[in-house]
mmCIF file of all heavy atoms in Angstrom:
data_model
loop_
_atom_site.group_PDB
_atom_site.id
_atom_site.type_symbol
_atom_site.label_atom_id
_atom_site.label_comp_id
_atom_site.label_asym_id
_atom_site.label_seq_id
_atom_site.Cartn_x
_atom_site.Cartn_y
_atom_site.Cartn_z
ATOM 1 N N ILE F 928 10.043 -37.030 177.373
ATOM 2 C CA ILE F 928 10.496 -36.160 178.455
ATOM 3 C C ILE F 928 9.623 -36.291 179.724
ATOM 4 O O ILE F 928 10.132 -36.329 180.849
ATOM 5 C CB ILE F 928 10.622 -34.683 177.983
ATOM 6 C CG1 ILE F 928 11.225 -33.813 179.075
ATOM 7 C CG2 ILE F 928 9.330 -34.095 177.501
ATOM 8 C CD1 ILE F 928 12.621 -34.167 179.440
ATOM 9 N N GLU F 929 8.303 -36.400 179.524
ATOM 10 C CA GLU F 929 7.424 -36.497 180.696
ATOM 11 C C GLU F 929 7.716 -37.774 181.483
ATOM 12 O O GLU F 929 7.688 -37.795 182.716
ATOM 13 C CB GLU F 929 5.945 -36.478 180.262
ATOM 14 C CG GLU F 929 5.470 -35.115 179.740
ATOM 15 C CD GLU F 929 5.731 -33.970 180.716
ATOM 16 O OE1 GLU F 929 5.542 -34.173 181.933
ATOM 17 O OE2 GLU F 929 6.155 -32.882 180.258
ATOM 18 N N LEU F 930 8.006 -38.860 180.748
ATOM 19 C CA LEU F 930 8.286 -40.147 181.410
ATOM 20 C C LEU F 930 9.606 -40.071 182.184
ATOM 21 O O LEU F 930 9.726 -40.572 183.301
ATOM 22 C CB LEU F 930 8.370 -41.269 180.363
ATOM 23 C CG LEU F 930 7.143 -41.376 179.459
ATOM 24 C CD1 LEU F 930 7.388 -42.310 178.292
ATOM 25 C CD2 LEU F 930 5.968 -41.875 180.290
ATOM 26 N N ILE F 931 10.597 -39.412 181.592
ATOM 27 C CA ILE F 931 11.898 -39.275 182.258
ATOM 28 C C ILE F 931 11.718 -38.449 183.537
ATOM 29 O O ILE F 931 12.231 -38.800 184.602
ATOM 30 C CB ILE F 931 12.934 -38.600 181.333
ATOM 31 C CG1 ILE F 931 13.205 -39.477 180.119
ATOM 32 C CG2 ILE F 931 14.229 -38.299 182.067
ATOM 33 C CD1 ILE F 931 14.257 -38.951 179.166
ATOM 34 N N LYS F 932 10.960 -37.375 183.409
ATOM 35 C CA LYS F 932 10.732 -36.505 184.581
ATOM 36 C C LYS F 932 10.124 -37.303 185.725
ATOM 37 O O LYS F 932 10.516 -37.168 186.884
ATOM 38 C CB LYS F 932 9.765 -35.356 184.202
ATOM 39 C CG LYS F 932 10.482 -34.115 183.734
ATOM 40 C CD LYS F 932 9.595 -33.202 182.945
ATOM 41 C CE LYS F 932 8.740 -32.263 183.720
ATOM 42 N NZ LYS F 932 7.969 -31.378 182.834
ATOM 43 N N LYS F 933 9.177 -38.165 185.364
ATOM 44 C CA LYS F 933 8.480 -38.951 186.382
ATOM 45 C C LYS F 933 9.433 -39.974 187.018
ATOM 46 O O LYS F 933 9.555 -40.051 188.236
ATOM 47 C CB LYS F 933 7.306 -39.677 185.715
ATOM 48 C CG LYS F 933 6.219 -40.064 186.688
ATOM 49 C CD LYS F 933 4.957 -40.427 185.951
ATOM 50 C CE LYS F 933 4.450 -41.701 186.586
ATOM 51 N NZ LYS F 933 3.969 -42.671 185.634
ATOM 52 N N ASP F 934 10.166 -40.700 186.175
ATOM 53 C CA ASP F 934 11.056 -41.762 186.673
ATOM 54 C C ASP F 934 12.153 -41.222 187.578
ATOM 55 O O ASP F 934 12.561 -41.858 188.541
ATOM 56 C CB ASP F 934 11.718 -42.488 185.498
ATOM 57 C CG ASP F 934 10.862 -43.632 185.019
ATOM 58 O OD1 ASP F 934 9.667 -43.647 185.386
ATOM 59 O OD2 ASP F 934 11.378 -44.497 184.279
ATOM 60 N N PHE F 935 12.675 -40.042 187.223
ATOM 61 C CA PHE F 935 13.799 -39.491 187.994
ATOM 62 C C PHE F 935 13.336 -38.412 188.981
ATOM 63 O O PHE F 935 14.159 -37.770 189.614
ATOM 64 C CB PHE F 935 14.847 -38.895 187.048
ATOM 65 C CG PHE F 935 15.655 -39.933 186.309
ATOM 66 C CD1 PHE F 935 15.156 -40.549 185.171
ATOM 67 C CD2 PHE F 935 16.913 -40.311 186.748
ATOM 68 C CE1 PHE F 935 15.890 -41.504 184.481
ATOM 69 C CE2 PHE F 935 17.657 -41.274 186.067
ATOM 70 C CZ PHE F 935 17.141 -41.868 184.931
ATOM 71 N N SER F 936 12.033 -38.216 189.083
ATOM 72 C CA SER F 936 11.430 -37.162 189.924
ATOM 73 C C SER F 936 12.149 -35.822 189.720
ATOM 74 O O SER F 936 12.683 -35.240 190.678
ATOM 75 C CB SER F 936 11.491 -37.522 191.412
ATOM 76 O OG SER F 936 11.109 -38.823 191.617
ATOM 77 N N LEU F 937 12.174 -35.371 188.493
ATOM 78 C CA LEU F 937 12.919 -34.139 188.204
ATOM 79 C C LEU F 937 12.038 -32.907 188.345
ATOM 80 O O LEU F 937 10.857 -32.931 187.957
ATOM 81 C CB LEU F 937 13.448 -34.169 186.759
ATOM 82 C CG LEU F 937 14.339 -35.340 186.363
ATOM 83 C CD1 LEU F 937 14.823 -35.172 184.923
ATOM 84 C CD2 LEU F 937 15.542 -35.439 187.304
ATOM 85 N N ASP F 938 12.625 -31.838 188.900
ATOM 86 C CA ASP F 938 11.874 -30.571 188.893
ATOM 87 C C ASP F 938 12.210 -29.816 187.602
ATOM 88 O O ASP F 938 13.017 -30.271 186.783
ATOM 89 C CB ASP F 938 12.168 -29.736 190.152
ATOM 90 C CG ASP F 938 13.638 -29.367 190.257
ATOM 91 O OD1 ASP F 938 14.286 -29.246 189.201
ATOM 92 O OD2 ASP F 938 14.145 -29.216 191.398
ATOM 93 N N THR F 939 11.592 -28.639 187.452
ATOM 94 C CA THR F 939 11.752 -27.901 186.195
ATOM 95 C C THR F 939 13.218 -27.552 185.923
ATOM 96 O O THR F 939 13.693 -27.650 184.782
ATOM 97 C CB THR F 939 10.947 -26.581 186.259
ATOM 98 O OG1 THR F 939 9.733 -26.864 186.927
ATOM 99 C CG2 THR F 939 10.660 -26.016 184.899
ATOM 100 N N HIS F 940 13.941 -27.153 186.985
ATOM 101 C CA HIS F 940 15.330 -26.747 186.765
ATOM 102 C C HIS F 940 16.194 -27.923 186.325
ATOM 103 O O HIS F 940 17.008 -27.811 185.403
ATOM 104 C CB HIS F 940 15.922 -26.131 188.040
ATOM 105 C CG HIS F 940 15.347 -24.783 188.294
ATOM 106 N ND1 HIS F 940 14.486 -24.516 189.340
ATOM 107 C CD2 HIS F 940 15.472 -23.642 187.599
ATOM 108 C CE1 HIS F 940 14.118 -23.258 189.277
ATOM 109 N NE2 HIS F 940 14.700 -22.697 188.241
ATOM 110 N N GLN F 941 15.989 -29.055 187.024
ATOM 111 C CA GLN F 941 16.783 -30.248 186.663
ATOM 112 C C GLN F 941 16.476 -30.661 185.221
ATOM 113 O O GLN F 941 17.373 -31.037 184.464
ATOM 114 C CB GLN F 941 16.457 -31.395 187.612
ATOM 115 C CG GLN F 941 17.060 -31.211 188.997
ATOM 116 C CD GLN F 941 16.532 -32.256 189.951
ATOM 117 O OE1 GLN F 941 15.323 -32.529 190.001
ATOM 118 N NE2 GLN F 941 17.417 -32.851 190.735
ATOM 119 N N THR F 942 15.179 -30.586 184.864
ATOM 120 C CA THR F 942 14.806 -30.984 183.498
ATOM 121 C C THR F 942 15.472 -30.052 182.483
ATOM 122 O O THR F 942 16.078 -30.503 181.506
ATOM 123 C CB THR F 942 13.272 -30.897 183.297
ATOM 124 O OG1 THR F 942 12.653 -31.538 184.388
ATOM 125 C CG2 THR F 942 12.840 -31.526 182.001
ATOM 126 N N GLY F 943 15.387 -28.751 182.755
ATOM 127 C CA GLY F 943 15.961 -27.764 181.841
ATOM 128 C C GLY F 943 17.460 -27.978 181.690
ATOM 129 O O GLY F 943 17.998 -27.955 180.578
ATOM 130 N N PHE F 944 18.138 -28.239 182.821
ATOM 131 C CA PHE F 944 19.589 -28.432 182.795
ATOM 132 C C PHE F 944 19.946 -29.660 181.947
ATOM 133 O O PHE F 944 20.792 -29.613 181.060
ATOM 134 C CB PHE F 944 20.103 -28.600 184.232
ATOM 135 C CG PHE F 944 21.582 -28.808 184.318
ATOM 136 C CD1 PHE F 944 22.462 -27.759 184.065
ATOM 137 C CD2 PHE F 944 22.110 -30.054 184.630
ATOM 138 C CE1 PHE F 944 23.831 -27.944 184.128
ATOM 139 C CE2 PHE F 944 23.483 -30.264 184.689
ATOM 140 C CZ PHE F 944 24.346 -29.204 184.443
ATOM 141 N N MET F 945 19.223 -30.750 182.233
ATOM 142 C CA MET F 945 19.505 -32.000 181.523
ATOM 143 C C MET F 945 19.235 -31.835 180.009
ATOM 144 O O MET F 945 20.029 -32.257 179.184
ATOM 145 C CB MET F 945 18.604 -33.084 182.137
ATOM 146 C CG MET F 945 18.834 -34.481 181.667
ATOM 147 S SD MET F 945 17.690 -34.981 180.407
ATOM 148 C CE MET F 945 16.102 -34.810 181.143
ATOM 149 N N MET F 946 18.148 -31.158 179.678
ATOM 150 C CA MET F 946 17.815 -30.959 178.261
ATOM 151 C C MET F 946 18.873 -30.086 177.574
ATOM 152 O O MET F 946 19.246 -30.326 176.428
ATOM 153 C CB MET F 946 16.451 -30.263 178.119
ATOM 154 C CG MET F 946 15.274 -31.129 178.476
ATOM 155 S SD MET F 946 15.060 -32.493 177.348
ATOM 156 C CE MET F 946 14.212 -31.712 175.999
ATOM 157 N N GLY F 947 19.352 -29.085 178.308
ATOM 158 C CA GLY F 947 20.301 -28.139 177.721
ATOM 159 C C GLY F 947 21.672 -28.741 177.486
ATOM 160 O O GLY F 947 22.464 -28.191 176.712
ATOM 161 N N LEU F 948 21.959 -29.876 178.151
ATOM 162 C CA LEU F 948 23.312 -30.438 178.013
ATOM 163 C C LEU F 948 23.594 -30.945 176.600
ATOM 164 O O LEU F 948 24.732 -30.899 176.140
ATOM 165 C CB LEU F 948 23.507 -31.577 179.017
ATOM 166 C CG LEU F 948 23.826 -31.086 180.427
ATOM 167 C CD1 LEU F 948 23.782 -32.244 181.415
ATOM 168 C CD2 LEU F 948 25.190 -30.414 180.481
ATOM 169 N N LEU F 949 22.560 -31.411 175.916
ATOM 170 C CA LEU F 949 22.810 -31.923 174.565
ATOM 171 C C LEU F 949 23.233 -30.801 173.606
ATOM 172 O O LEU F 949 24.314 -30.875 173.010
ATOM 173 C CB LEU F 949 21.602 -32.693 174.026
ATOM 174 C CG LEU F 949 21.885 -33.396 172.699
ATOM 175 C CD1 LEU F 949 21.232 -34.776 172.660
ATOM 176 C CD2 LEU F 949 21.468 -32.595 171.504
ATOM 177 N N PRO F 950 22.419 -29.731 173.482
ATOM 178 C CA PRO F 950 22.895 -28.656 172.591
ATOM 179 C C PRO F 950 24.216 -28.046 173.043
ATOM 180 O O PRO F 950 25.053 -27.671 172.218
ATOM 181 C CB PRO F 950 21.772 -27.612 172.635
ATOM 182 C CG PRO F 950 20.800 -28.062 173.629
ATOM 183 C CD PRO F 950 21.060 -29.483 173.965
ATOM 184 N N PHE F 951 24.434 -28.008 174.373
ATOM 185 C CA PHE F 951 25.686 -27.460 174.883
ATOM 186 C C PHE F 951 26.867 -28.320 174.404
ATOM 187 O O PHE F 951 27.848 -27.813 173.854
ATOM 188 C CB PHE F 951 25.614 -27.413 176.414
ATOM 189 C CG PHE F 951 26.860 -26.906 177.065
ATOM 190 C CD1 PHE F 951 27.229 -25.577 176.941
ATOM 191 C CD2 PHE F 951 27.682 -27.764 177.797
ATOM 192 C CE1 PHE F 951 28.390 -25.111 177.528
ATOM 193 C CE2 PHE F 951 28.843 -27.310 178.380
ATOM 194 C CZ PHE F 951 29.199 -25.977 178.247
ATOM 195 N N GLY F 952 26.748 -29.635 174.597
ATOM 196 C CA GLY F 952 27.815 -30.561 174.165
ATOM 197 C C GLY F 952 28.011 -30.483 172.663
ATOM 198 O O GLY F 952 29.141 -30.476 172.159
#
Side-chain angles (χ1 to χ4, degrees):
I928 186 64
E929 289 306 320
L930 305 169
I931 296 183
K932 268 160 84 177
K933 203 165 135 222
D934 272 16
F935 286 81
S936 315
L937 303 183
D938 61 29
T939 321
H940 288 110
Q941 286 171 314
T942 312
F944 180 72
M945 187 262 301
M946 289 294 279
L948 280 171
L949 188 140
F951 178 69

